[in-house]
Amino acid sequence: MNLTDKTYQELKTSLINILGHNGVVADSKGVEVLSRTNVPHRNIPSFVVYPQDASDVQGVLCMARKHGVPVWPVSTGKNWGYGSKSAAYPGGITMVLERMNRIIEINEELGTAIIEPGVTYAQLNTYLKENGIKLWVDSSGSTKDASIIGNALDKGRGVTPYADHFGSLCGMEVVLPDGRKIRTGGGPQDGYPSWNTYKWGTGLFVDGLFAQSNLGIVVQAGLWLMPEPEAYDFFVFEYTAGEDQFADFLKDFRSLIFKGVIKSRPHLANDFAMLCILDQYPNDLLNGKQYLDPEAMQIWKKRMKVPEWTFGCGLYGTKEEVRLHKSITKKTLSRYGSTHMTGICAEKNFMGRMANRIARLVLRLQGKSPQFLDSLIPAIELFKGIPTDHFVKQVYFKSFDQKPASEFEPARDGCGFVWIGPVVPFSPEHISKLMNLVKPLYKKHEFEFFLEIIIESPRSVISLFGLFYDKKSPDESRRAMALYKDIRDVAYKHGYPPYRASVESTQTALDCNPLLKSLITDLKTALDPNNILAPGRYGARARKRE
Amino acid sequence: MNLTDKTYQELKTSLINILGHNGVVADSKGVEVLSRTNVPHRNIPSFVVYPQDASDVQGVLCMARKHGVPVWPVSTGKNWGYGSKSAAYPGGITMVLERMNRIIEINEELGTAIIEPGVTYAQLNTYLKENGIKLWVDSSGSTKDASIIGNALDKGRGVTPYADHFGSLCGMEVVLPDGRKIRTGGGPQDGYPSWNTYKWGTGLFVDGLFAQSNLGIVVQAGLWLMPEPEAYDFFVFEYTAGEDQFADFLKDFRSLIFKGVIKSRPHLANDFAMLCILDQYPNDLLNGKQYLDPEAMQIWKKRMKVPEWTFGCGLYGTKEEVRLHKSITKKTLSRYGSTHMTGICAEKNFMGRMANRIARLVLRLQGKSPQFLDSLIPAIELFKGIPTDHFVKQVYFKSFDQKPASEFEPARDGCGFVWIGPVVPFSPEHISKLMNLVKPLYKKHEFEFFLEIIIESPRSVISLFGLFYDKKSPDESRRAMALYKDIRDVAYKHGYPPYRASVESTQTALDCNPLLKSLITDLKTALDPNNILAPGRYGARARKRE
């Protein structure tokens, strides 16, 4: 949308009145930098605003309603590869909630927290550690500076037994598009002791209305944290069996998860996905091509000693359970590859340091790269809820010559990558079907095939396809976009909708189900008739008035 | 509401046109019997109708809209003690979905089913067993003839690791008040393989709108079933420590659940709750009083060898896990009472029969009643997902001289009882606080104190208070109603809303949170502006048009 000069000036004055100069970015350079994305697509807003509390949120919404200018809320906007802080349209107000970052309450006994949307994994983890609270916060595999609530509301995933981030929210305080501030759960607005302990509440369960949606801005939420288990271990599995055994492997893997032997929610990374983490892009192997052909990939894989599939995995429980689960896991998986048990290496004591040295030595002798060894400790820690930026730096591996050592911001720095993660039943038939449909598309568009099979539950996986491209090259950007669209089309065509939409695809996210979309349109029309709150997000948009 | 003669006749003709004579009950005797309840309160409808499929449901709703007569849907209406088939108002159409009882699909590999709302625990369990499918269906502790979907939508509970019935639903087909039939989940309406494997779907999660609500009629739903574990055992725990140790016991109990040593969701029954199951009401001990005073209770408890608190509990896992969990449980709980491990007794082989005989002998020597022994096998089976009517017959224990051997229907037979289950954080302070607030109310109204602490999760319990009364006595009914209201008031006052409402209380279920109620009113107004679908259920009612 284009604001008239008058609206722009009036709105700017009002926003500054509410938030102060420090809370409003209106200059063209500022809004340009803040709306940068890793995906090929983005939109530049008129304003980026930073509320400090719920009443600021209400104030901004009030002005937005008055001027008819839409508000696109993000928590910290670090959903890199999905759209970051960019709205699905240009010219509106982008609301960044990162300054609302209070940890309001921790209940160690019941394993609950109440936090604001600006609270990050790193912040909560540090708070817990510094206060000696024996609870773990499950972290996304992306940056430690992402918002816990933001990721959960976008149905993001972690890797510990508390990997289901939306499922781990319990109790919300929400500002509705018309400014009402409600609390979900069905108990009294104040003085409701089970607000953060009982998810379903009394009466209809409305919390789901605020996930992947635009019906309200969550300004506080309850979160379940995992009590530190008595024992923990970690292993890396490398799949070395042939392709013909992959279906059996998936079935056995699933059975370990169904049984609770594996309570962790690992990501099964294909060769290229693993190489992105371990290495820089080997331009020397391109041979004049635009991408690494199968021969080049083979050379690279050999060079880095990377197998077809790799996953890391935590084990949790009493000492005896962890011992037992280790032995069952080893026995079950040894048919398909090798299992390196290395959990002890991250322990901060003499034994841990010794084990780490020995493990490095042994793995080095097995031919593992130094990068593999360097990834070990961050991985072990990630599976015990300690967030890390170690893995997310992979996104620099193609756009830049070197992964950054510290200070980094892939959106700002223009690293080109896109994620698309169709949801697939956890059965070899479905997983292979989609994989075989998508793989040729990468070849067609001249990219390397990237797949991480994210274990969602024993019943579903997310087949996360990644696209890395050079954002500075218009041709690569165009090809990346074309590949993205092809993957999306084929996934929808076969009934595998992505678990998460990007700024590019969000408006059409529900087009595959017009009847459901009509219900959601009804809800949006009832709660936000003038489309003030993030219109189009996940397909929800109020009907035009008759 | 009162229908005019003309409306009544026209509607009757239309309903018979859609459902046939066999599908419509309109005679006054018929509707009277079908609307009977166990609670003191009930309303008699104009019609009771039995759709056979979704298009029947749509047809009835269409006629209801045309004539402005509300429809109160129930699945099988066996929510005894909450209101059974009675609507919250008289004169409407009660829709019973029990004839929609198809088991549409079972996927053994992924542990999922698709069923209609008429499918009962007994029916699905029989189907699984007859077809050699190694999946368990978690059953409510009430009747085996209850609807699986109905119980789940009312947020009912079971006792196995799949006790969270609403949480175990995945994917719904719903007829909205205006007749649209939608599928939730965000994938295509047809051909969406993850419909029953991934709960949160794409875009906003709407399934919660159909739990404890009146925004739609669920005509099909996906259900997660538990894969049969490698090993199973069962124990009965009897709390014999003093009152001063109860807080420590609750903490240790909670810790076993947090750790997953106990994956089951047991009910901790107080003395009177246990006696209801084991015995008939001892009128001989009344001594001219209206209820059993503390002395009488002591005599009765001694007679039946019932301790202060009792619970049964399943253990699930690999053989080694079950062995390990048994030993941890025994060690932890032995401080507070005795643990009888008896899982083997229900095994249908020589060892099982032997063990059963030995256990009976041992328990008999310990002074256990024959009734205790008779309850053992049904309990062991219930915790492995085999439904039973053994326990629900307790509801006859006061209204009738004898519990029925077979054929029984507490609503029809007029057994007087009411449940109210406030949700309480799983902390000794909260549990004791509410217990101590409620206990004196029983004395005030001259009833015996009944409490089952239902383990909802490691974070919450449901303090289920039961009221048994003689429905034939107007005085007892009046006192029961007064006690119910007192419990409800005190629970709400201290922020413990009941997890489930009864026909008496449903209309005011959300009065404690006017802001949340206003949101729900918006939703109801958007989807059912003329209040055709169960107006008032869980407090949801469309706003009058301006």
Side-chain angles (χ1 to χ4, degrees), chain A residues 309-335:
Chain A
W309 298 96
T310 308
F311 72 87
C313 186
L315 296 169
Y316 313 82
T318 62
K319 273 180 203 157
E320 295 89 340
E321 273 173 320
V322 169
R323 204 176 305 135
L324 178 64
H325 291 163
K326 246 158 100 164
S327 105
I328 296 174
T329 304
K330 269 200 160 177
K331 204 174 139 190
T332 309
L333 296 182
S334 63
R335 260 166 283 171

Side-chain angles (χ1 to χ4, degrees), chain B residues 77-373:
Chain B
K78 302 218 187 273
N79 52 336
W80 300 326
Y82 291 107
S84 309
K85 298 189 184 73
S86 173
Y89 48 80
I93 301 168
T94 293
M95 180 189 279
V96 183
L97 302 167
E98 65 186 33
R99 294 185 194 166
M100 293 172 62
N101 63 353
R102 290 181 304 154
I103 297 168
I104 294 163
E105 192 187 298
I106 305 277
N107 185 325
E108 185 169 5
E109 212 182 20
L110 293 172
T112 61
I114 305 176
I115 56 173
E116 290 188 329
V119 174
T120 66
Y121 298 115
Q123 183 191 348
L124 184 55
N125 178 61
T126 303
Y127 182 89
L128 294 171
K129 296 287 181 284
E130 283 181 358
N131 290 278
I133 298 167
K134 295 201 177 307
L135 296 171
W136 289 359
V137 50
D138 184 279
S139 171
S140 122
S142 178
T143 172
K144 61 185 168 57
D145 294 323
S147 155
I148 296 173
I149 290 182
N151 185 273
L153 291 178
D154 215 17
K155 302 180 192 164
R157 309 278 321 164
V159 292
T160 78
Y162 280 48
D164 176 359
H165 288 176
F166 177 68
S168 300
L169 294 185
C170 183
M172 296 178 179
E173 184 168 283
V174 187
V175 174
L176 300 179
D178 66 5
R180 266 175 296 174
K181 192 173 77 178
I182 60 130
R183 279 200 177 183
T184 67
Q189 186 96 352
D190 297 299
Y192 173 28
S194 312
W195 188 41
N196 312 115
T197 65
Y198 178 57
K199 192 168 169 80
W200 305 130
T202 310
L204 49 96
F205 172 72
V206 297
D207 301 41
L209 298 184
F210 308 108
Q212 295 190 338
S213 99
N214 53 15
L215 298 183
I217 300 174
V218 177
V219 292
Q220 252 182 51
L223 174 73
W224 288 342
L225 299 169
M226 177 175 157
E228 186 179 310
E230 188 186 304
Y232 168 73
D233 207 341
F234 175 87
F235 66 90
V236 180
F237 172 76
E238 297 193 309
Y239 183 89
T240 51
E243 216 174 298
D244 56 328
Q245 289 192 65
F246 194 59
D248 287 336
F249 159 70
L250 286 176
K251 282 183 197 171
D252 281 338
F253 189 23
R254 180 182 64 200
S255 148
L256 292 173
I257 296 161
F258 254 126
K259 283 180 189 161
V261 168
I262 290 182
K263 299 188 184 78
S264 181
R265 293 290 177 257
H267 297 194
L268 186 61
N270 81 345
D271 47 5
F272 182 66
M274 198 62 198
L275 285 161
C276 299
I277 292 173
L278 297 181
D279 206 7
Q280 283 298 123
Y281 191 76
N283 288 296
D284 62 308
L285 296 175
L286 279 174
N287 275 330
K289 290 219 177 74
Q290 303 202 73
Y291 76 119
L292 303 165
D293 62 21
E295 292 71 41
M297 274 299 293
Q298 276 311 112
I299 298 173
W300 191 23
K301 275 170 72 174
K302 265 209 171 142
R303 199 192 271 173
M304 297 298 292
K305 295 267 183 210
V306 164
E308 215 59 41
W309 298 99
T310 309
F311 71 88
C313 187
L315 296 169
Y316 313 82
T318 61
K319 272 180 204 156
E320 295 90 338
E321 274 174 320
V322 168
R323 204 177 305 136
L324 178 65
H325 293 162
K326 246 158 102 164
S327 108
I328 297 174
T329 304
K330 269 200 160 176
K331 202 173 138 191
T332 310
L333 296 181
S334 64
R335 262 165 282 171
Y336 309 105
S338 56
T339 315
H340 312 277
M341 292 283 169
T342 56
I344 193 176
C345 302
E347 281 178 27
K348 305 234 177 300
N349 54 27
F350 177 73
M351 283 299 287
R353 284 189 297 275
M354 281 294 288
N356 191 17
R357 263 192 235 166
I358 295 167
R360 289 184 75 98
L361 199 66
V362 171
L363 292 167
R364 202 73 193 96
L365 287 171
Q366 288 171 1
K368 293 289 155 209
S369 62
Q371 294 93 325
F372 180 90
L373 303 176

Side-chain angles (χ1 to χ4, degrees), chain A residues 108-112 155 157 162 164 166-167 176 178 180-189 191-194 196-215 223-227 230 251 254 258-261 263 317-318 320-321 324-325 328 423-430 456-460 462 492-501 509-510 512-513 515-516 518-520 522-523 526-527 538 540 543, chain B residues 108-112 155 157 162 164 166-167 176 178 180-189 191-194 196-215 223-227 230 251 254 258-261 263 317-318 320-321 324-325 328 423-430 456-460 462 492-501 509-510 512-513 515-516 518-520 522-523 526-527 538 540 543:
Chain A
E108 184 169 6
E109 213 182 18
L110 293 171
T112 61
K155 302 181 191 162
R157 310 278 320 166
Y162 281 48
D164 177 359
F166 177 69
L176 300 180
D178 66 4
R180 268 175 297 175
K181 191 174 77 178
I182 60 131
R183 278 200 179 183
T184 67
Q189 186 97 352
Y192 173 28
S194 312
N196 311 115
T197 65
Y198 178 57
K199 192 168 169 84
W200 306 131
T202 310
L204 50 96
F205 172 73
V206 297
D207 302 40
L209 297 184
F210 307 109
Q212 295 190 337
S213 98
N214 53 15
L215 298 181
L223 174 73
W224 288 343
L225 299 170
M226 176 175 160
E230 188 186 305
K251 283 185 195 169
R254 180 181 65 200
F258 254 125
K259 282 181 186 160
V261 169
K263 298 188 185 79
T318 62
E320 295 89 340
E321 273 173 320
L324 178 64
H325 291 163
I328 296 174
V423 182
V424 181
F426 197 154
S427 87
E429 294 74 21
H430 284 290
E456 192 275 325
S457 75
R459 294 183 175 83
S460 289
I462 294 162
Y492 269 115
K493 189 178 160 199
H494 292 86
Y496 305 115
Y499 87 113
R500 227 164 146 176
L510 287 176
C512 65
N513 192 331
L515 274 163
L516 178 62
S518 76
L519 165 62
I520 287 167
D522 292 350
L523 302 175
L527 298 183
Y538 283 92
R543 222 167 258 121
Chain B
E108 185 169 5
E109 212 182 20
L110 293 172
T112 61
K155 302 180 192 164
R157 309 278 321 164
Y162 280 48
D164 176 359
F166 177 68
L176 300 179
D178 66 5
R180 266 175 296 174
K181 192 173 77 178
I182 60 130
R183 279 200 177 183
T184 67
Q189 186 96 352
Y192 173 28
S194 312
N196 312 115
T197 65
Y198 178 57
K199 192 168 169 80
W200 305 130
T202 310
L204 49 96
F205 172 72
V206 297
D207 301 41
L209 298 184
F210 308 108
Q212 295 190 338
S213 99
N214 53 15
L215 298 183
L223 174 73
W224 288 342
L225 299 169
M226 177 175 157
E230 188 186 304
K251 282 183 197 171
R254 180 182 64 200
F258 254 126
K259 283 180 189 161
V261 168
K263 299 188 184 78
T318 61
E320 295 90 338
E321 274 174 320
L324 178 65
H325 293 162
I328 297 174
V423 182
V424 180
F426 197 155
S427 88
E429 296 74 22
H430 284 290
E456 192 274 325
S457 75
R459 295 184 174 82
S460 289
I462 294 161
Y492 270 115
K493 190 178 158 199
H494 291 87
Y496 305 115
Y499 87 113
R500 226 162 143 177
L510 287 177
C512 65
N513 192 333
L515 273 163
L516 178 62
S518 76
L519 166 62
I520 287 167
D522 292 349
L523 301 176
L527 299 183
Y538 282 92
R543 223 167 258 122

